[in-house]
Amino acid sequence: MKSNFHKPLVTHMYTADPSVHVFDGKIYIYPSHDLENEGLDDGKGDHFKMVDYHVFSMDDVGAPLVDHGQVLHVKDVPWAESRMWDCDAAGKNGKYYLYFPAHDKNGVFRLGVATSDKPSGPFKAEPNYIPGSYSIDPAIFTDSDNESYMYFGGLWGGQLECWQTGKFVPFGGAAGENGPKGDEPAMGPRYAKLSDDMLSFKHEPKEILILDENGAPIKASDNDRRFFEAPCVYKYTNGKYYMIYSTGDTHFIAYAESESPTGPFTYKGKVLEPVSGWTNHAYITEFKGKWYLFYHDCELSNGVTPLRNLKYTELEISRDGVITTVKP
């Protein structure tokens, strides 16, 4: 079977921010959908136009890709107004759940959930966003004890800095000015356990610490290692938990290790070096005993950042969890 490694996976539309799961023996991909627009890059995401989601599947690695069509549109989400950014999915209780961020009617990012009887959708949105939710990039991990966690958060356009007091405080100036600086601890992603019905949080979101090799919090000025957005957690065969995330303006996908799904996590290295285009967002999944990295770049649009395309490759991971950095 011919591999599509490092080649655009979807070519008939622009797709980005992949999340990937194996349901019923198939690979299902849940990306965001970029549309051409005239928005300007102001650091707050105004140049991204994203209003819907498609689901894709493959029977095997390298097999033909199936587009299951539009499965959710912002007009079908009662509380949402715009910015259907990166989503994730989960299967539990005989149902499938699609988690997504969107601006509410006040321009504040919230996290919503939609349900379906099939992993390919279509999905029906709940009438309200998840109480207590905010920011972007929801990612779901279900542990061996059947507890499910949502990880989320993104700086600048993702508004995570706006929630430092526990309530939404709009940016006071340019994007990024509200957050920690210099030697202050960098902001970490958030997590919350999901309720048994997968529709709400069991508790208020909590911050995850990312530490350096000496056990100290990564500093805000450490742009090559500090968290920016796109947290994703998985459990490796050594029994340890790993979180990958984007460093944002330095364009790396980094990874960190923990003994617990709630951290603290210790920085370990880089998963993916910078790709063409500004953003970097990735997802790791296992299929038939091998591990794969799904990510995006801007090959199809010749480097135009708001117009991205999915790619994937096999990962080299040692028995103790060390990842060989992918150099696209």
Side-chain angles (χ1 to χ4, degrees):
M1 186 175 294
K2 188 175 181 180
S3 168
N4 292 318
F5 289 168
H6 294 302
K7 297 178 182 179
L9 188 56
V10 180
T11 57
H12 63 282
M13 58 190 289
Y14 292 112
T15 51
D17 309 319
S19 64
V20 185
H21 296 273
V22 178
F23 297 128
D24 301 325
K26 291 183 179 182
I27 299 170
Y28 284 87
I29 306 168
Y30 302 84
S32 56
H33 178 199
D34 289 333
L35 298 174
E36 296 186 60
N37 69 96
E38 301 298 325
L40 299 177
D41 183 2
D42 60 354
K44 299 178 183 178
D46 287 344
H47 59 315
F48 291 99
K49 184 178 181 182
M50 300 143 91
V51 299
D52 67 348
Y53 299 109
H54 283 233
V55 174
F56 300 86
S57 68
M58 295 188 293
D59 288 340
D60 204 344
V61 172
L65 188 75
V66 176
D67 181 354
H68 295 278
Q70 185 186 90
V71 300
L72 186 67
H73 193 281
V74 67
K75 64 180 174 58
D76 299 317
V77 183
W79 59 268
E81 185 175 62
S82 63
R83 302 199 188 198
M84 302 280 275
W85 288 10
D86 23 339
C87 63
D88 196 9
K92 203 172 185 179
N93 308 323
K95 293 184 178 181
Y96 297 90
Y97 304 84
L98 185 71
Y99 298 90
F100 58 92
H103 270 191
D104 65 13
K105 308 300 183 182
N106 297 312
V108 177
F109 264 120
R110 301 289 186 173
L111 303 175
V113 56
T115 59
S116 176
D117 292 328
K118 300 184 296 183
S120 57
F123 289 85
K124 180 177 176 55
E126 292 293 303
N128 297 306
Y129 57 76
I130 297 172
S133 68
Y134 52 88
S135 198
I136 62 171
D137 294 358
I140 309 302
F141 167 70
T142 298
D143 208 348
S144 53
D145 60 2
N146 209 37
E147 287 278 8
S148 294
Y149 300 79
M150 178 188 288
Y151 303 86
F152 64 92
L155 303 183
W156 301 4
Q159 300 179 342
L160 187 58
E161 300 100 315
C162 298
W163 290 92
Q164 294 175 88
T165 66
K167 295 183 178 180
F168 182 78
V169 178
F171 288 113
E177 288 188 1
N178 293 26
K181 297 176 178 62
D183 290 341
E184 295 178 323
M187 293 190 71
R190 303 301 197 258
Y191 82 90
K193 281 188 178 183
L194 289 168
S195 58
D196 294 341
D197 65 4
M198 301 291 281
L199 301 178
S200 62
F201 295 157
K202 288 185 175 180
H203 56 81
E204 290 186 2
K206 299 178 181 179
E207 185 172 5
I208 292 178
L209 284 175
I210 302 176
L211 310 176
D212 64 18
E213 64 278 9
N214 299 314
I218 297 286
K219 297 177 180 178
S221 59
D222 190 351
N223 284 12
D224 283 352
R225 299 194 296 176
R226 63 95 170 88
F227 170 79
F228 186 89
E229 63 184 358
C232 168
V233 171
Y234 66 95
K235 193 174 186 178
Y236 192 52
T237 53
N238 61 6
K240 294 184 179 181
Y241 300 85
Y242 293 85
M243 180 173 64
I244 68 171
Y245 59 92
S246 172
T247 63
D249 54 357
T250 47
H251 314 298
F252 295 111
I253 296 295
Y255 75 106
E257 178 188 85
S258 179
E259 299 288 340
S260 165
T262 60
F265 285 81
T266 300
Y267 175 88
K268 288 296 181 182
K270 298 180 177 69
V271 179
L272 179 66
E273 292 194 342
V275 297
S276 64
W278 195 94
T279 67
N280 212 349
H281 190 124
Y283 204 97
I284 290 177
T285 195
E286 181 186 14
F287 183 69
K288 295 184 177 179
K290 294 183 178 181
W291 293 83
Y292 298 91
L293 177 74
F294 287 76
Y295 63 102
H296 68 233
D297 67 11
C298 293
E299 179 179 333
L300 290 180
S301 64
N302 295 315
V304 178
T305 295
L307 302 175
R308 299 161 292 177
N309 53 261
L310 298 184
K311 292 186 173 181
Y312 73 108
T313 189
E314 187 174 342
L315 272 183
E316 295 181 18
I317 309 180
S318 69
R319 290 184 177 180
D320 56 358
V322 176
I323 298 175
T324 298
T325 305
V326 175
K327 301 179 179 181

